[in-house]
Structures are given as C-alpha cells and as structure tokens.
Amino acid sequence: MKDIGKPGKVQRMKRKGLGGIVCACLLALSCWGCAGDEKNQAEELRVGVLLYNQDDLFIGALKQEIDGCFRETEKREGCRITVSYFDSMGNQITQNEQIDTFIEQGYDVLCVNLVVRTDAAAIVDKGKKADVPLVFFNREPVSADLERWEKIYYVGTDAEEGGRKQGEIFLDYCRARKSADKNGDGVIQYVLLEGEPGHQDSAIRTESCIKSIEEGGVELERLAVANANWRRSQGKEKMAGWLDEFGSGIEAVISNNDAMALGALDALAESDLAELSPVVIGLDGIEEARAAVRDGRMAGTVVNDARGQAEAIVALATELGKDEIPDIPDMKDRIIRVPHKTVTQ
Ligand code: BGC
C-alpha cells in the first residue's frame, strides 16, 4: 500500500480544491493526451482508492486487479497514474476522514468501497463540494445517494443473478447425484451462511438462490441460518456449532461467498464427520474455492468477476480524470453491473 504522504512537485492533471482559477489553468495545460512536450510533464492522474477492509479475501483479490489495470492503462495511454490506497478497517468514520485527506491532498478521482453502504451521503457531499468524482464499488450506495450528484458512479454485480447461478449449480449437482439426499427423505436439509446484514449481496443472493432451487423442483429444508459476515473464521465457527447440533443431518451448505464456504470446509475437516461431504456452494470464484471445486470438496462457485469489475472501475476513474463524461458499454444510470460466471468441475 502506498504511503500517501504529501503531494509531490510533479505537475498534476488537475488539482482539485486549489481554487477555480488555478484549477482551470492546470486543466488547460494538462488535458489528457495533449501532444508534444507538454505531454510528459503534464500528465499525471492521482487516484485514491478506499477499501472497507483489505483482509476481506475478495476485496484483496479485487485490489490486485485494480492495481494491475491501472498499470496497464498507464502503459497503453503513455501517462502517469499514481494510485494510493487506504484501508478503512471496517470503520465508516475512519473512511470519511480518509476521504478528507485525499481531497486535501488534491487527488483527482476517488474510488470508494464503502464500509456501511447506506452511509454514502456525507462522502458524496464532500466529493461534490471539492468537485472530485466518486466511483463507488462492491458495496452499493442506495439510489437516493447515487442521485445526489452526477459525478457519482457504481461498479458491482447483479446480486440476483449471482444467487440464481448458485441455485443452478445446486440443481445440476443434485439431479446428477441422487446420493446428495443422504437420508433419502426426498428433501435436502441445508444450513445457510449469510454475509453481512444490510449488504446488498447477502439477502438478495440468498433469496434468489433458494428460489431457483425450489422452482427447479428440489425440495429444501433449512436447518439453520447465520450471518458470518463474509469471514472464513466466522463461517468455520458457525459450521462447527451446526455440526455439533445436527451432525450428519446436514446435507448441504449454501454460502453467500467462498470465504465462508471455505470456513465451513475447515470445520468439517476438523470434525469427526470429515467424510460427510455435503453439497457446498460458494460465490466469488477465488482461487482456493476453485481448487476445492476441482478436488470435489465444493460442488461449485460463481465467479464474482474481480477482473471485470477492476476494468470498469479503472476505465471510469481514467475517463473522469480526463474530465470526460464516461462512455462505457453496458453502463446504465451511471451503474455498471459486471456479469457472473459459473465454475463447476
Ligand atoms: C463478495 C464477498 C465480499 C463482499 C465485501 C461481496 O460481493 O462476494 O466475498 O466479502 O462483497 O463487500
């Protein structure tokens, strides 16, 4: 993570918050893509990225992709892009202060992974006041906040689609293997690991996953549900408790993400029911989950396309940095939803 320090002496593409006249002069001198000798000295874009918590496995993977895409853009466009990161460590107040720091230091565009998705208003107002465009990602602001200003964008996925694809994997798996119904009662008894309450990807994924399984004709019985807040450790802890309570009665584990599904597998491996092999479904497509799909410990996962989301975030930030109105395919109402893909054996 880059220490954001004080702004350097390199002439920037834009210096927001320095006052209209200075800003206008710099803009005139340093428009992106100008030819000739102005080019090398003038083109620098400074992007601040704020992560709700870098320990989150998916967010860690997304950060790597964002970094890679900025580097590729730099090479492709022959420009200089400084990208600095802040980890808000699960604290919205800290994130708001980090936003102030980036704005004070003259960053051109901010990419924000909110801590509390319903708390975007204060950040939007800060961006608007300083005229620093905002690209929210992964944790979706409510539409009233997205409508507060026209220089706000969101990159994420369609949670309903993600859950539906999980349901499709589950159905295919159960149809192909009658043995999934271990006690032969015609019903699959399952436990459910949910992400953070209030996160758009928790309740919506759950609902559409369960709906598509039931509509596909597999009968389900929910033994237990708990929020494990996207965390592997919490998924493990919940699953350990359920193994004590329900033992071999657990025929399936449905998880809103891969990290919690991997936690459930950890608990299973440490239990005396290691041979139980319930149907385990996750979502994200992180490398360790793909390996678990390959070796049969998971029935499948759905790819929450970190690369695709990173490309969209970087394209938006770069165009906003040029003071252009972004024109990105498949963007609707300043929202880009990157499609999911399915991973099975
Ligand atoms: C991912 C989770 C991640 C969460 C963080 C979700 O879209 O599926 O793995 O923990 O975003 O906000």
Side-chain angles (χ1 to χ4, degrees):
M1 189 167 305
K2 185 178 187 300
D3 173 8
I4 63 165
K6 295 262 180 245
K9 288 201 180 120
V10 186
Q11 189 179 10
R12 301 211 160 81
M13 226 184 113
K14 288 189 289 175
R15 285 291 300 267
K16 298 283 171 56
L18 287 183
I21 298 169
V22 179
C23 198
C25 294
L26 283 176
L27 261 177
L29 280 175
S30 62
C31 60
W32 195 271
C34 347
D37 3 310
E38 275 169 18
K39 186 168 177 169
N40 290 338
Q41 55 155 359
E43 289 180 7
E44 185 192 16
L45 171 65
R46 301 178 83 222
V47 182
V49 181
L50 300 104
L51 306 173
Y52 98 93
N53 200 328
Q54 212 188 178
D55 286 348
D56 181 296
L57 292 181
F58 175 72
I59 296 299
L62 185 56
K63 176 184 182 256
Q64 280 199 339
E65 297 290 356
I66 290 174
D67 234 20
C69 287
F70 272 120
R71 300 290 69 95
E72 287 164 26
T73 304
E74 227 178 11
K75 278 197 197 126
R76 197 177 52 243
E77 304 213 1
C79 56
R80 179 158 166 213
I81 307 179
T82 298
V83 187
S84 304
Y85 294 89
F86 265 135
D87 184 346
S88 312
M89 294 196 285
N91 188 326
Q92 190 60 64
I93 296 169
T94 305
Q95 184 167 81
N96 289 16
E97 290 165 1
Q98 293 167 338
I99 296 271
D100 290 336
T101 305
F102 274 139
I103 290 177
E104 277 159 23
Q105 296 194 348
Y107 276 73
D108 300 301
V109 183
L110 301 183
C111 303
V112 189
N113 178 214
L114 285 164
V115 178
V116 181
R117 76 180 192 96
T118 49
D119 277 3
I123 294 179
V124 173
D125 292 347
K126 287 172 194 287
K128 186 173 178 181
K129 191 161 165 230
D131 194 24
V132 176
L134 300 163
V135 180
F136 289 100
F137 62 95
N138 172 259
R139 298 160 85 96
E140 185 169 352
V142 295
S143 48
D145 288 339
L146 282 171
E147 282 156 19
R148 282 176 97 86
W149 189 35
E150 72 280 4
K151 291 188 186 171
I152 318 176
Y153 293 78
Y154 174 68
V155 176
T157 57
D158 174 355
E160 192 278 330
E161 177 195 67
R164 181 162 28 88
K165 286 197 176 295
Q166 285 187 299
E168 287 162 8
I169 298 173
F170 195 95
L171 279 174
D172 287 348
Y173 190 92
C174 293
R175 284 179 185 139
R177 294 171 191 75
K178 292 283 167 251
S179 58
D181 178 15
K182 294 188 194 304
N183 61 8
D185 66 352
V187 180
I188 303 286
Q189 278 79 25
Y190 74 101
V191 291
L192 173 66
L193 288 165
E194 288 202 299
E196 269 170 276
H199 192 301
Q200 78 282 343
D201 289 337
S202 298
I204 301 176
R205 282 180 188 167
T206 296
E207 199 185 311
S208 64
C209 173
I210 302 302
K211 186 168 167 240
S212 77
I213 296 171
E214 290 179 339
E215 285 178 359
V218 169
E219 207 179 318
L220 293 172
E221 179 189 349
R222 183 178 296 183
L223 298 177
V225 54
N227 287 100
N229 301 306
W230 307 120
R231 300 281 151 169
R232 184 170 185 158
S233 56
Q234 292 185 35
K236 179 178 176 186
E237 192 190 307
K238 302 293 176 201
M239 183 67 180
W242 292 333
L243 285 167
D244 284 346
E245 192 176 347
F246 305 109
S248 58
I250 301 174
E251 292 175 332
V253 180
I254 298 176
S255 174
N256 285 164
N257 81 344
D258 284 344
M260 299 184 295
L262 290 167
L265 292 178
D266 294 340
L268 202 56
E270 285 179 18
S271 75
D272 48 13
L273 292 163
E275 301 308 311
L276 188 62
S277 61
V279 186
V280 180
I281 306 275
L283 193 152
D284 278 339
I286 58 172
E287 201 34 59
E288 219 180 321
R290 288 172 188 244
V293 173
R294 280 194 296 274
D295 66 27
R297 286 177 300 134
M298 278 175 68
T301 180
V302 174
V303 179
N304 187 1
D305 184 359
R307 171 75 198 186
Q309 289 167 57
E311 282 171 2
I313 293 165
V314 170
L316 281 171
T318 312
E319 292 193 19
L320 288 163
K322 292 185 225 175
D323 240 11
E324 286 173 2
I325 297 176
D327 179 20
I328 312 257
D330 300 325
M331 180 165 73
K332 193 166 172 275
D333 301 331
R334 290 182 275 115
I335 295 178
I336 300 175
R337 296 195 194 277
V338 176
H340 293 91
K341 295 171 205 143
T342 299
V343 179
T344 59
Q345 268 187 330

PDB file of all heavy atoms in Angstrom, residues 254-272:
ATOM      1  N   ILE A 254     -25.087 -23.823   1.949  1.00  0.00           N
ATOM      2  CA  ILE A 254     -25.193 -22.752   0.951  1.00  0.00           C
ATOM      3  C   ILE A 254     -24.572 -21.512   1.581  1.00  0.00           C
ATOM      4  O   ILE A 254     -24.916 -21.146   2.709  1.00  0.00           O
ATOM      5  CB  ILE A 254     -26.667 -22.500   0.564  1.00  0.00           C
ATOM      6  CG1 ILE A 254     -27.242 -23.770  -0.072  1.00  0.00           C
ATOM      7  CG2 ILE A 254     -26.782 -21.306  -0.384  1.00  0.00           C
ATOM      8  CD1 ILE A 254     -28.722 -23.691  -0.414  1.00  0.00           C
ATOM      9  N   SER A 255     -23.631 -20.915   0.861  1.00  0.00           N
ATOM     10  CA  SER A 255     -22.912 -19.783   1.443  1.00  0.00           C
ATOM     11  C   SER A 255     -22.965 -18.590   0.482  1.00  0.00           C
ATOM     12  O   SER A 255     -22.778 -18.760  -0.724  1.00  0.00           O
ATOM     13  CB  SER A 255     -21.459 -20.191   1.704  1.00  0.00           C
ATOM     14  OG  SER A 255     -20.720 -19.078   2.142  1.00  0.00           O
ATOM     15  N   ASN A 256     -23.160 -17.400   1.028  1.00  0.00           N
ATOM     16  CA  ASN A 256     -23.205 -16.189   0.188  1.00  0.00           C
ATOM     17  C   ASN A 256     -21.851 -15.871  -0.430  1.00  0.00           C
ATOM     18  O   ASN A 256     -21.777 -15.042  -1.343  1.00  0.00           O
ATOM     19  CB  ASN A 256     -23.659 -14.966   0.986  1.00  0.00           C
ATOM     20  CG  ASN A 256     -25.130 -14.911   1.309  1.00  0.00           C
ATOM     21  OD1 ASN A 256     -25.534 -14.141   2.169  1.00  0.00           O
ATOM     22  ND2 ASN A 256     -25.965 -15.689   0.638  1.00  0.00           N
ATOM     23  N   ASN A 257     -20.762 -16.450   0.105  1.00  0.00           N
ATOM     24  CA  ASN A 257     -19.464 -16.241  -0.564  1.00  0.00           C
ATOM     25  C   ASN A 257     -18.532 -17.435  -0.336  1.00  0.00           C
ATOM     26  O   ASN A 257     -18.846 -18.354   0.450  1.00  0.00           O
ATOM     27  CB  ASN A 257     -18.813 -14.906  -0.164  1.00  0.00           C
ATOM     28  CG  ASN A 257     -18.086 -14.941   1.165  1.00  0.00           C
ATOM     29  OD1 ASN A 257     -18.278 -15.851   1.964  1.00  0.00           O
ATOM     30  ND2 ASN A 257     -17.249 -13.952   1.394  1.00  0.00           N
ATOM     31  N   ASP A 258     -17.408 -17.415  -1.029  1.00  0.00           N
ATOM     32  CA  ASP A 258     -16.452 -18.524  -0.938  1.00  0.00           C
ATOM     33  C   ASP A 258     -15.750 -18.576   0.408  1.00  0.00           C
ATOM     34  O   ASP A 258     -15.492 -19.665   0.936  1.00  0.00           O
ATOM     35  CB  ASP A 258     -15.370 -18.367  -2.029  1.00  0.00           C
ATOM     36  CG  ASP A 258     -15.864 -18.756  -3.400  1.00  0.00           C
ATOM     37  OD1 ASP A 258     -16.923 -19.419  -3.503  1.00  0.00           O
ATOM     38  OD2 ASP A 258     -15.195 -18.386  -4.392  1.00  0.00           O
ATOM     39  N   ALA A 259     -15.402 -17.402   0.948  1.00  0.00           N
ATOM     40  CA  ALA A 259     -14.620 -17.404   2.190  1.00  0.00           C
ATOM     41  C   ALA A 259     -15.370 -18.163   3.283  1.00  0.00           C
ATOM     42  O   ALA A 259     -14.792 -19.019   3.978  1.00  0.00           O
ATOM     43  CB  ALA A 259     -14.332 -15.964   2.623  1.00  0.00           C
ATOM     44  N   MET A 260     -16.665 -17.894   3.422  1.00  0.00           N
ATOM     45  CA  MET A 260     -17.445 -18.581   4.468  1.00  0.00           C
ATOM     46  C   MET A 260     -17.610 -20.069   4.131  1.00  0.00           C
ATOM     47  O   MET A 260     -17.582 -20.922   5.029  1.00  0.00           O
ATOM     48  CB  MET A 260     -18.808 -17.905   4.635  1.00  0.00           C
ATOM     49  CG  MET A 260     -18.723 -16.449   5.063  1.00  0.00           C
ATOM     50  SD  MET A 260     -20.332 -15.683   5.374  1.00  0.00           S
ATOM     51  CE  MET A 260     -21.104 -15.684   3.757  1.00  0.00           C
ATOM     52  N   ALA A 261     -17.741 -20.386   2.840  1.00  0.00           N
ATOM     53  CA  ALA A 261     -17.849 -21.796   2.437  1.00  0.00           C
ATOM     54  C   ALA A 261     -16.552 -22.533   2.787  1.00  0.00           C
ATOM     55  O   ALA A 261     -16.579 -23.668   3.286  1.00  0.00           O
ATOM     56  CB  ALA A 261     -18.126 -21.895   0.938  1.00  0.00           C
ATOM     57  N   LEU A 262     -15.416 -21.864   2.574  1.00  0.00           N
ATOM     58  CA  LEU A 262     -14.128 -22.486   2.916  1.00  0.00           C
ATOM     59  C   LEU A 262     -14.037 -22.679   4.431  1.00  0.00           C
ATOM     60  O   LEU A 262     -13.495 -23.677   4.916  1.00  0.00           O
ATOM     61  CB  LEU A 262     -12.962 -21.625   2.414  1.00  0.00           C
ATOM     62  CG  LEU A 262     -12.791 -21.588   0.879  1.00  0.00           C
ATOM     63  CD1 LEU A 262     -11.827 -20.474   0.459  1.00  0.00           C
ATOM     64  CD2 LEU A 262     -12.306 -22.940   0.342  1.00  0.00           C
ATOM     65  N   GLY A 263     -14.589 -21.720   5.190  1.00  0.00           N
ATOM     66  CA  GLY A 263     -14.626 -21.852   6.648  1.00  0.00           C
ATOM     67  C   GLY A 263     -15.434 -23.076   7.053  1.00  0.00           C
ATOM     68  O   GLY A 263     -15.039 -23.829   7.951  1.00  0.00           O
ATOM     69  N   ALA A 264     -16.568 -23.306   6.361  1.00  0.00           N
ATOM     70  CA  ALA A 264     -17.392 -24.485   6.664  1.00  0.00           C
ATOM     71  C   ALA A 264     -16.587 -25.759   6.384  1.00  0.00           C
ATOM     72  O   ALA A 264     -16.642 -26.728   7.157  1.00  0.00           O
ATOM     73  CB  ALA A 264     -18.669 -24.454   5.830  1.00  0.00           C
ATOM     74  N   LEU A 265     -15.825 -25.745   5.284  1.00  0.00           N
ATOM     75  CA  LEU A 265     -14.996 -26.923   4.967  1.00  0.00           C
ATOM     76  C   LEU A 265     -13.911 -27.119   6.029  1.00  0.00           C
ATOM     77  O   LEU A 265     -13.570 -28.252   6.386  1.00  0.00           O
ATOM     78  CB  LEU A 265     -14.345 -26.774   3.586  1.00  0.00           C
ATOM     79  CG  LEU A 265     -15.282 -26.823   2.381  1.00  0.00           C
ATOM     80  CD1 LEU A 265     -14.499 -26.623   1.085  1.00  0.00           C
ATOM     81  CD2 LEU A 265     -16.042 -28.161   2.317  1.00  0.00           C
ATOM     82  N   ASP A 266     -13.366 -26.008   6.545  1.00  0.00           N
ATOM     83  CA  ASP A 266     -12.355 -26.107   7.613  1.00  0.00           C
ATOM     84  C   ASP A 266     -12.960 -26.818   8.827  1.00  0.00           C
ATOM     85  O   ASP A 266     -12.342 -27.708   9.427  1.00  0.00           O
ATOM     86  CB  ASP A 266     -11.884 -24.714   8.071  1.00  0.00           C
ATOM     87  CG  ASP A 266     -11.120 -23.955   6.983  1.00  0.00           C
ATOM     88  OD1 ASP A 266     -10.631 -24.603   6.042  1.00  0.00           O
ATOM     89  OD2 ASP A 266     -11.042 -22.709   7.091  1.00  0.00           O
ATOM     90  N   ALA A 267     -14.188 -26.410   9.188  1.00  0.00           N
ATOM     91  CA  ALA A 267     -14.840 -27.014  10.363  1.00  0.00           C
ATOM     92  C   ALA A 267     -15.090 -28.497  10.125  1.00  0.00           C
ATOM     93  O   ALA A 267     -14.876 -29.334  11.005  1.00  0.00           O
ATOM     94  CB  ALA A 267     -16.163 -26.291  10.645  1.00  0.00           C
ATOM     95  N   LEU A 268     -15.520 -28.792   8.904  1.00  0.00           N
ATOM     96  CA  LEU A 268     -15.802 -30.183   8.558  1.00  0.00           C
ATOM     97  C   LEU A 268     -14.526 -31.028   8.663  1.00  0.00           C
ATOM     98  O   LEU A 268     -14.530 -32.120   9.259  1.00  0.00           O
ATOM     99  CB  LEU A 268     -16.341 -30.201   7.127  1.00  0.00           C
ATOM    100  CG  LEU A 268     -17.174 -31.371   6.674  1.00  0.00           C
ATOM    101  CD1 LEU A 268     -18.374 -31.592   7.581  1.00  0.00           C
ATOM    102  CD2 LEU A 268     -17.665 -31.105   5.245  1.00  0.00           C
ATOM    103  N   ALA A 269     -13.426 -30.479   8.128  1.00  0.00           N
ATOM    104  CA  ALA A 269     -12.165 -31.227   8.131  1.00  0.00           C
ATOM    105  C   ALA A 269     -11.697 -31.500   9.560  1.00  0.00           C
ATOM    106  O   ALA A 269     -11.074 -32.534   9.833  1.00  0.00           O
ATOM    107  CB  ALA A 269     -11.100 -30.449   7.363  1.00  0.00           C
ATOM    108  N   GLU A 270     -12.005 -30.582  10.459  1.00  0.00           N
ATOM    109  CA  GLU A 270     -11.549 -30.761  11.845  1.00  0.00           C
ATOM    110  C   GLU A 270     -12.524 -31.576  12.686  1.00  0.00           C
ATOM    111  O   GLU A 270     -12.266 -31.853  13.851  1.00  0.00           O
ATOM    112  CB  GLU A 270     -11.356 -29.380  12.504  1.00  0.00           C
ATOM    113  CG  GLU A 270     -10.093 -28.703  12.021  1.00  0.00           C
ATOM    114  CD  GLU A 270      -9.891 -27.333  12.650  1.00  0.00           C
ATOM    115  OE1 GLU A 270     -10.527 -27.036  13.690  1.00  0.00           O
ATOM    116  OE2 GLU A 270      -9.087 -26.572  12.094  1.00  0.00           O
ATOM    117  N   SER A 271     -13.670 -31.943  12.108  1.00  0.00           N
ATOM    118  CA  SER A 271     -14.673 -32.667  12.896  1.00  0.00           C
ATOM    119  C   SER A 271     -14.500 -34.173  12.697  1.00  0.00           C
ATOM    120  O   SER A 271     -13.732 -34.614  11.844  1.00  0.00           O
ATOM    121  CB  SER A 271     -16.074 -32.259  12.441  1.00  0.00           C
ATOM    122  OG  SER A 271     -16.357 -32.871  11.200  1.00  0.00           O
ATOM    123  N   ASP A 272     -15.280 -34.954  13.456  1.00  0.00           N
ATOM    124  CA  ASP A 272     -15.214 -36.397  13.198  1.00  0.00           C
ATOM    125  C   ASP A 272     -16.220 -36.800  12.120  1.00  0.00           C
ATOM    126  O   ASP A 272     -16.530 -37.959  11.937  1.00  0.00           O
ATOM    127  CB  ASP A 272     -15.387 -37.197  14.496  1.00  0.00           C
ATOM    128  CG  ASP A 272     -16.573 -36.712  15.297  1.00  0.00           C
ATOM    129  OD1 ASP A 272     -17.375 -35.945  14.731  1.00  0.00           O
ATOM    130  OD2 ASP A 272     -16.694 -37.077  16.486  1.00  0.00           O
TER     131      ASP A 272
END
